[in-house]
Structures are given as C-alpha cells and as structure tokens.
Amino acid sequence: MSETSWQECEACGRTTDEFSSATRCTDCGGLLSLHHPTPDLTGPALRDRFDARHGVRGSAAELSGVWRFRELVLPSAGAAIISQPEGNTPLLQRESLSDWCGVAGLFLKHEGHNPTGSFKDRGMTVAVTQAKRIGATAIACASTGNTSASLAAYAALAGLPGLTFVPEGQVALGKLTQTLAYGAQTLLVDGDFDACLRLAKEASEQLGVYLVNSINPFRIEGQKTIVLELLQQLAWQAPDWIVLPAGNLGNVAAFGKALAEALALGLIDHCPRLAAVQAQGASPFAAAFARGFDHMEPVAAETIATAIRIGAPASYDRGVRAIRTTAGVVTSVSDDEILEAKITIDRAGVGCEPASAASLAGVRQLRHRGMISGSERVVAILTGHLLKDPGILQTIHQSSGSASHLGNKPIRIPPTIEAVRRVLFASIW
Ligand SMILES: *Cc1c(COP(=O)(O)O)cnc(C)c1O
C-alpha cells in the first residue's frame, strides 16, 4: 500500500506522484484526480474519529471543517496546511422554505458562511497548501468572482502573489472589490469566463504560475468536504437528495467523488441522488443530460446568476460520471425562478447570492414534477453569501425596474415622529 497520495489521469490512466505540478495529464491533456492511501480505519470507527475532531480547540488546521476529514483530503499535508480556517458551515431548516418547495424534510447547507463567503474556500485551502508544498512562485485562476476572492485571501495568508482573470463587467461587485481588497492582481479581461479560462491556462503553461481553477485536482478534494460535513451533521444518515447549482461542474464532480468514497469506506449505507441545477441561459450540461449525455454543446452563456454563467464547463466528463454513479438528474431553471427563490430565501432571513438560489428553485421544480417526493429528505446547497451581489439587491429593492414589484422599498421621511407614526400605522396596524 502506498504511503502517499498519487494523481491519476481520468482519460488515459497515467499516474504521477502527489507533487507533480501539472494540473492536466502531460501525455493526453486529460483531467487528473487524486487517490489516497486507504485510511487505517473505515466505517463506524472512521466516523467516530471524524466526530471526535469536531469542536476541539487548536490550530486553524484542527478547527477547519475541511481538514477534519484530512484522510480523504490530503493525508500527507501535515504541518504545511494553509487554513483560515474554513468550513463548519451551518445546516439550516426553515419552515417557510420547506413550505415554498413542498418538501418538509428540507435542509439548507449554507456555504456562504465560509471566510470569504463562498464554498470556494474549501477547495482553495487545499490548492494553496499544495502550491506552497511544491514551491509555486505565484498562483492564478480564471473566475466568475468567488474563486478570485478566495484565491486572493489564501494567497495573502500564504504570502504568495495571486493573479486573477475575470470577465470585465460580468462579475458581481462584492466579489470584485473583495479580490482587490485582499490584494491579488486583478486582470479585467475583455471577454467572457470561457476566454478567461483559456488565458489562465496559457499563463500557467507559458509563464509557470500554478493554476488553482476547479480542474485542479486538489480543489476537488477540499470541496468533497461539503458532502462529508453535511453527512456528519445528519449523524451519517444520508439524505435522499443533494441539490446544487452547476456551472463549471467542479462541485458536481467533487460531490460525486465524495459520495463514492463515503459509500466505499462504509461512512454511509446508501448513496443520495445528486440533482445539478443550471440557469436556463447557461445550461449545456442539462441539455446534454436530456440527450443521454451524448456530447456537450457549448453555449453563449447569459443569466443573472453570474457565478454559473459558464458556456463550456471544464469538468464536463467528471460531472457526467458524478450524475451517472449517483443515479442523479440535471435540470435548468429560468432567471425569474432563480430570482423568486432568492427573494424567498432572503426573506426567510437566510439570504444567498442568485446562483445559490438555483438549488432551491430546482428542488421546487423537481418536487412539482414528482421527481422528488414530499416525504424525502433533501439537502440544498447555498453556495454563496447574500452580500456577494449588492447590484441585484439594489435592482430588486431600490429601483423601479421589472423585478421591483417584489422589492422592499426604503421609505423617505422628514425627521419627525409624526412621519414615523404614519409609516408604522400604515404598514403594521
Ligand atoms: C463557483 C460557484 C458555483 C458553481 O460551481 P461549479 O463548480 O463551477 O459548478 C455556484 N455558485 C457559486 C456561488 C459559486 O461561486
């Protein structure tokens, strides 16, 4: 049995050790995945070990909701770990949201509670740890905003220069300003996300910077812990469904890998079904699913959910595998449905960014279609924080545009108690 982890090409099967810095197969260009030595414990004993680590005091790595599962993430990382910490996000239940989508057993895993406000931190802690271990001189990514914000924060923590490529005019304000504030070099590219990804790949090949996009296999290992942590929060009683928004399909791939490993190691006794939800204007994965996954047809992506505004998902093959191995489904929802779900989630006092709301819109649609039954247990992933996209909030609540009838307008008053009294009587009594 190998003592360290190794990387394997998903297309040709070529293996390299865990310290190879290539983020694609150097023979065939295929995507790489990480494999770890089998842990010394499995089943209930491994669950007990994970449970015993929960809530302990200690270093950032010991507090982290990613590194708690280190045997399944990167067992050899040890003292090299770069952690904020991250993870430990809440699993919420809200009656109003259960009612809205017709599923009493609905849970919301809120990844917006991560240090930079999205699930990207779970992958970034592992990718940046690895960047330090292999002696990278700089790290780079293409991003619709959340990956760049996360990269910037972890680059600052690790003392590494960070370089981000973002599509000009297509990144939510909170994410762009966050990336600048943490100090990463930010390149506004005159092109869409798919153009940014091409450029980031070329930069990594020709300029030697380490690429930490979601094709990076170390990111996938960290993002698996969204699933491991929610299973732990459910006392390892696997739900029937896990529903998540899908853009570049890194997360769908990570969820599929986590579930396959959890089942193989006896952490759970049945596999939840994955439901990946795309925005209708950016739904090449859903279209391919409807055709039996014959092939992926790239699209010119357009949606208000900028985090999933991706026309040619880089992890398509991995995404297909994840859906197949979990007997999963892929669907799409309209921007209006996303907006309605977002406003409903916000009003529940939970809040999320638009892309995240695609998951709840998807639950509701799958429930109406009879795919999900009212008695099943469903975990919907909220991928990012409400404050990521202040622009859409202004459009809903402070403008007179098309969505404004759903808004909660501020009320302008003169500075008198009479004016306050008038407002109170009009709205409450
Ligand atoms: C990155 C991101 C997604 C999409 O994840 P993929 O791995 O690209 O499919 C969804 N929602 C938010 C908020 C994100 O930041």
Side-chain angles (χ1 to χ4, degrees), residues 117-120 144-147 175 214 219 223 244-252 307-308 310 353 355-356 382-385 388:
S118 84
F119 74 81
K120 299 302 197 297
T144 59
N146 281 332
T147 300
K175 305 176 189 183
S214 64
R219 285 238 347 242
Q223 287 172 206
L244 75 165
N248 219 14
L249 306 181
N251 228 15
V252 171
I308 51 174
I310 291 168
E353 67 165 285
S356 309
L382 299 180
T383 44
H385 196 276
K388 287 286 190 173

Side-chain angles (χ1 to χ4, degrees), residues 284-295 316 323 328-331 369:
F285 191 47
F289 173 77
R291 296 190 308 261
F293 284 137
D294 57 351
H295 70 290
Y316 173 76
I323 295 300
V329 299
V330 189
T331 191
R369 283 167 48 190

Side-chain angles (χ1 to χ4, degrees), residues 34-318:
L34 269 162
H35 299 264
H36 308 299
T38 306
D40 54 335
L41 303 175
T42 57
L46 185 56
R47 291 201 296 246
D48 288 348
R49 177 186 285 170
F50 292 152
D51 290 349
R53 287 178 187 155
H54 192 221
V56 297
R57 285 184 219 170
S59 65
E62 285 166 314
L63 292 171
S64 169
V66 170
W67 296 101
R68 184 186 315 137
F69 304 102
R70 64 188 82 107
E71 286 84 349
L72 310 186
V73 172
L74 190 57
S76 57
I81 292 172
I82 307 282
S83 169
Q84 295 273 0
E86 51 289 308
N88 298 312
T89 59
L91 190 66
L92 310 170
Q93 286 196 281
R94 290 290 184 277
E95 212 176 306
S96 62
L97 300 180
S98 286
D99 290 349
W100 187 76
C101 54
V103 178
L106 174 76
F107 299 82
L108 301 147
K109 177 73 171 155
H110 205 327
E111 288 295 302
H113 288 241
N114 272 293
T116 78
S118 84
F119 74 81
K120 299 302 197 297
D121 295 338
R122 290 189 186 257
M124 203 53 72
T125 179
V126 187
V128 173
T129 294
Q130 185 63 11
K132 281 295 257 195
R133 292 174 89 209
I134 63 172
T137 53
I139 54 178
C141 74
S143 175
T144 59
N146 281 332
T147 300
S148 62
S150 186
L151 177 150
Y154 282 85
L157 180 63
L160 280 173
L163 182 65
T164 69
F165 299 81
V166 300
E168 183 165 18
Q170 296 169 27
V171 176
L173 184 65
K175 305 176 189 183
L176 180 61
T177 49
Q178 221 184 343
T179 306
L180 297 170
Y182 294 134
Q185 292 249 315
T186 304
L187 306 178
L188 293 178
V189 178
D190 181 12
D192 60 8
F193 170 80
D194 303 291
C196 291
L197 188 55
R198 269 197 306 280
L199 207 54
K201 271 190 222 159
E202 283 171 27
S204 83
E205 283 156 14
Q206 295 173 32
L207 309 174
V209 295
Y210 186 59
L211 197 60
V212 296
N213 267 94
S214 64
I215 60 160
N216 181 308
F218 294 85
R219 285 238 347 242
I220 301 288
E221 294 308 289
Q223 287 172 206
K224 288 187 326 197
T225 65
I226 303 170
V227 166
L228 296 173
E229 192 174 89
L230 75 84
L231 292 172
Q232 182 172 42
Q233 286 166 310
L234 293 172
W236 305 101
Q237 303 297 305
D240 299 295
W241 291 89
I242 299 176
V243 184
L244 75 165
N248 219 14
L249 306 181
N251 228 15
V252 171
F255 281 35
K257 193 167 189 277
L259 289 171
E261 292 172 0
L263 205 58
L265 288 169
L267 293 175
I268 50 175
D269 62 13
H270 76 271
C271 188
R273 300 177 71 182
L274 286 180
V277 186
Q278 298 209 287
Q280 248 158 41
S283 55
F285 191 47
F289 173 77
R291 296 190 308 261
F293 284 137
D294 57 351
H295 70 290
M296 193 259 293
E297 195 73 54
V299 301
E302 190 51 67
T303 169
I304 55 160
T306 50
I308 51 174
R309 192 177 189 277
I310 291 168
S315 287
Y316 173 76
D317 292 339
R318 290 172 169 170

